Structures are given as C-alpha cells and as structure tokens.
Amino acid sequence: MHISEGVLSGQVLAAGAVAALAGTAAGLKKLDYDQMVHVAILASAFFVASLIHVNIGPVSVHLILNGIVGLLLGIAAFPAILTALVLQSLLFQYGGLTALGVNALIMALPAVLVHYLYLPLLGKSSSLTFAAGFLSGVTAILLSSIILGAALWFTDEQFLKTAAAIISAHIPVMIIEGVVTGFCLSFLVKVYPEIIPGRR
Amino acid sequence: MTILFFCFAFTSLAQAHKVVVFAWVEDGFIRTESGFGSRRPAKNCEIRVYTRGKDSENLLVHTGRTNENGEYAFKVSDLKKSGWLGNQIEVHLSAGPGHAGQWTIPASELVKDYGPGSSSIEDKMARKEDLKKDPSPLKIGIGIILIFILAFIIGRIKKIQKKPKGANAG
C-alpha cells in the first residue's frame, strides 16, 4: 500500500504532508512517558510487517498491521507509523520519500479511527477481544484502501473505478489482517494486559 | 466462487512496497526488467520512456508493456523516430494504482553499444540483482534499534516535561 514517487500530484502530496504532521504533533502531545516502550514495540512490529509475505494463490501480499497499532496506541499511532514509514523508505526503499505524508495518512488515520471504534470491546471476554482485533484489522485496511483511492482520485484518476479495484485487491489482505490481529490481541490480553490502553 | 475469483484477480494490486524497474543498453537494445523486489515480476505493466524535448519539455518517446517475466526491450533506433535528441532517457513503470518506478539511462550509455559479455554488462547485472534483493537482517536490525533510540529520546523529553516546577531547585 506504499505509494511510490512520482505518482501523486504536488497538491495531494502537500495536503497529505500537512495532515500527517498535524496528526503526528497531536500524537506526540498525547504521548506519555509510560507508553514509550509500547509505542516502540508496536512501531517495530509495523516496520517489520511489510516483510511478512502471505501467498494467496498466484500472488503474494504483505501484512500492514495498522489495525493493531491503532487499537493499542490511538492518536499516538501517527508518530509510530510515520517513524516506521520513514525508516522503511530509507532502508528498504518502500514508498517514496515525497509521498511519506500521504502514506502516513493512509495508514495512520484508519489506525486512529479503529481505536475509537473497537477499544470498548477489548478485554471484556475472549470472543469480544478476538472480534475487536478482527474488526480492527479489516476496518483499518478497508479505510486505508479508500483513502488511497481518494489520493489517486485527487491526482486525476477515476475514483470509483480505482477505489473499487483497490478495495477488491485488498479483500484477502483484510481477512488475513483481521485474523492475525484477532489472534495477536487475544494473546496479548492474556500474557501482557498492560499493553491494553486503560489497564496501565 | 465468483467473488473469490475476482478477489484473486485483483490481488496483484495489493503487492505494494518496493517496485523495481531496471534498464540497460545491450547490443543496440534497451532492455528493462521490472518486479516487486525479489518476489514477483511486474507482468503486463506499462512502460513509458521520456526524454527532454527541444524546449526542455517532457517528451514521451516510447511506450510498451512488460511480458510474463516483467521484461520489455526495444531498439535504441526506435527512440530516434520519436524525436529523441540524444540526451538521457527515463524509463517509467506503472505497476498498478499508486505503484510506479523509474530508471534513468544517461546519454553516454545510449551512444555506446555494449555487446553481450562485456564487463559493463556484468556490472549492470550485478547491480540489478542488488536492487532485487530483500532487505538484509542488518537493515532490519538497524531500523528497530533506531525506533527504540527515538522512543528513548522522546521518553526522556516527556519525563523532563512531566517533572513538577521547582523539583530541581535547591
């Protein structure tokens, strides 16, 4: 889902950069000293997730994990994801440097939204925890696909056709992310409940 | 079943991250190889070749599509027919929504004719293989360490900001 260099128009890149900076500033302001280890762990997980490939028939896709990052960090997902994206761009050449703002917005904004949508379900029972994780993973990828389609639309592509193609392409990714996020959260609630917001 | 088919049909659009296009001159041909890192070739993707025109405008001089192996080749002489002025060219790959790559071939390479087996071609093949490699464990380790260092620095700043005023007095 990383947008490459030279794809988006200057205006879209600038708007994405401004929005990502605003989100990052808000995230940094809200960050607490006690959260920093969790932020670092989740940012590292996001950083490495792109390297995990899942073969689906003739093609292979990679994990993103913005759902779990957002569910556990809230607005702090912005600085965590932006940092991981900068390092992915510099070290792995994943996504363009000029498109960092837009890439951060595509991945972090849905992450923040799933925090507010599904956090209340977390920890109430094992099935609700799994459901919260599954829905976070699916919703985060779905919203990311829509924002990606919107970014391409503003750059002069047919939105409905492009968005439909992108969302269709990511349906298997949504399901895989949902399952992985569900299992990860179920595991974390049992072994490391302090990582759940509100339980520190 | 139909829904599953359409999901898989479009899943190649979710192949994200590193789009690599590599181009070189060999035996009078400009050869390109494109892919998603070391994973999959970029099949049936559009190749566009640009150069600078007389008024420094971006001039499209050639288009084509990659084959099943992500390869595309065309003759250097084809460029001349489209108004190429002998300067450098940029090979652009369009690999789906949001995914593109480009490679620049300098003018000096376009005027020389590298035959197969020349040391220059071997250097280029080595460079191409380098580009296709997956990230090394060292780079992954460096990235994770940098994340923790940054988190430590921000954590220290937050801790200092949190100290009540006058805590350091006396």
Side-chain angles (χ1 to χ4, degrees), chain A residues 1-4 7 28-29 31-34 36 40-41 43-44 47-48 50-51 53 55-56 58-62 83 87 91-94 152 162 165-166 168-173, chain B residues 3 6-8 10-19 39-40 43 97-102 134-136 139-144 146-148 150-152 154-156 158-159 162:
Chain A
M1 208 176 266
H2 297 68
I3 295 186
S4 312
V7 173
L28 285 171
K29 196 172 175 194
L31 265 179
D32 203 77
Y33 171 74
D34 300 324
M36 290 317 298
I41 290 170
S44 302
F47 173 70
V48 170
S50 293
L51 303 170
H53 294 268
N55 287 322
I56 304 174
V59 297
S60 102
V61 297
H62 68 88
T83 304
L87 291 170
L91 295 170
F92 307 155
Q93 289 81 52
Y94 287 2
L152 293 171
T162 308
I166 292 169
S168 306
H170 283 88
I171 287 172
V173 182
Chain B
I3 294 168
F6 277 107
C7 288
F8 289 148
F10 286 109
T11 312
S12 58
L13 293 174
Q15 280 191 100
H17 57 270
K18 189 174 173 179
V19 178
R39 303 262 154 206
R40 304 279 171 182
K43 300 177 194 176
H99 300 106
Q102 66 181 65
D134 277 337
S136 63
K139 282 187 180 177
I140 296 167
I142 288 170
I144 293 172
L146 285 172
I147 287 170
F148 274 87
L150 192 59
F152 176 76
I154 294 172
R156 294 297 298 175
K158 288 278 170 182
K159 197 173 183 185
K162 211 175 170 180

Side-chain angles (χ1 to χ4, degrees), chain B residues 53-131:
Chain B
K54 273 185 232 172
D55 302 316
S56 297
E57 76 280 17
N58 228 13
L59 191 65
L60 176 66
V61 288
H62 192 84
T63 58
R65 285 214 160 250
T66 56
N67 62 13
E68 283 294 299
N69 298 322
E71 297 160 345
Y72 179 72
F74 59 99
K75 290 183 186 170
V76 178
S77 53
D78 286 348
L79 295 175
K80 292 173 189 166
K81 295 174 195 168
S82 309
W84 176 55
L85 299 173
N87 42 9
Q88 73 177 29
I89 61 169
E90 284 177 7
V91 178
H92 289 243
L93 170 80
S94 179
H99 300 106
Q102 66 181 65
W103 189 266
T104 302
I105 301 181
S108 54
E109 282 187 29
L110 289 160
V111 296
K112 283 185 195 168
D113 192 344
Y114 295 114
S118 75
S119 61
S120 201
I121 293 294
E122 282 168 13
D123 288 341
K124 288 186 192 324
M125 291 301 107
R127 197 168 163 210
K128 177 179 65 106
E129 290 310 312
D130 267 342
L131 280 176

Side-chain angles (χ1 to χ4, degrees), chain A residues 4-199:
Chain A
S4 312
E5 296 277 14
V7 173
L8 299 174
S9 66
Q11 294 96 319
V12 174
L13 291 175
V18 168
L21 274 171
T24 303
L28 285 171
K29 196 172 175 194
K30 273 257 182 170
L31 265 179
D32 203 77
Y33 171 74
D34 300 324
Q35 259 184 306
M36 290 317 298
V37 172
H38 302 149
V39 172
I41 290 170
L42 289 164
S44 302
F46 180 88
F47 173 70
V48 170
S50 293
L51 303 170
I52 302 169
H53 294 268
V54 180
N55 287 322
I56 304 174
V59 297
S60 102
V61 297
H62 68 88
L63 293 181
I64 299 170
L65 293 186
N66 58 336
I68 193 171
V69 171
L71 190 62
L72 296 178
L73 294 182
I75 189 75
F78 257 103
I81 287 175
L82 181 63
T83 304
L85 287 174
V86 168
L87 291 170
Q88 283 178 347
S89 187
L90 293 173
L91 295 170
F92 307 155
Q93 289 81 52
Y94 287 2
L97 274 173
T98 55
L100 267 174
V102 176
N103 280 328
L105 193 66
I106 285 170
M107 301 202 205
L109 183 59
V112 174
L113 290 172
V114 302
H115 173 84
Y116 293 105
L117 284 173
Y118 302 119
L119 186 64
L121 296 177
L122 213 55
K124 288 197 157 63
S125 70
S126 53
S127 43
L128 274 177
T129 298
F130 184 88
F134 181 82
L135 290 169
S136 299
V138 171
T139 309
I141 302 297
L142 175 63
L143 293 175
S144 294
S145 307
I146 292 170
I147 298 173
L148 171 58
L152 293 171
W153 176 50
F154 281 115
T155 300
D156 194 25
E157 295 215 18
Q158 298 169 34
F159 174 62
L160 281 176
K161 191 175 150 193
T162 308
I166 292 169
I167 292 170
S168 306
H170 283 88
I171 287 172
V173 182
M174 286 181 216
I175 295 165
I176 292 166
E177 284 267 338
V179 170
V180 169
T181 307
F183 278 116
C184 283
L185 274 174
S186 300
F187 177 73
L188 282 170
V189 162
K190 283 180 193 151
V191 304
Y192 190 42
E194 295 81 14
I195 203 168
I196 311 297
R199 289 214 189 177

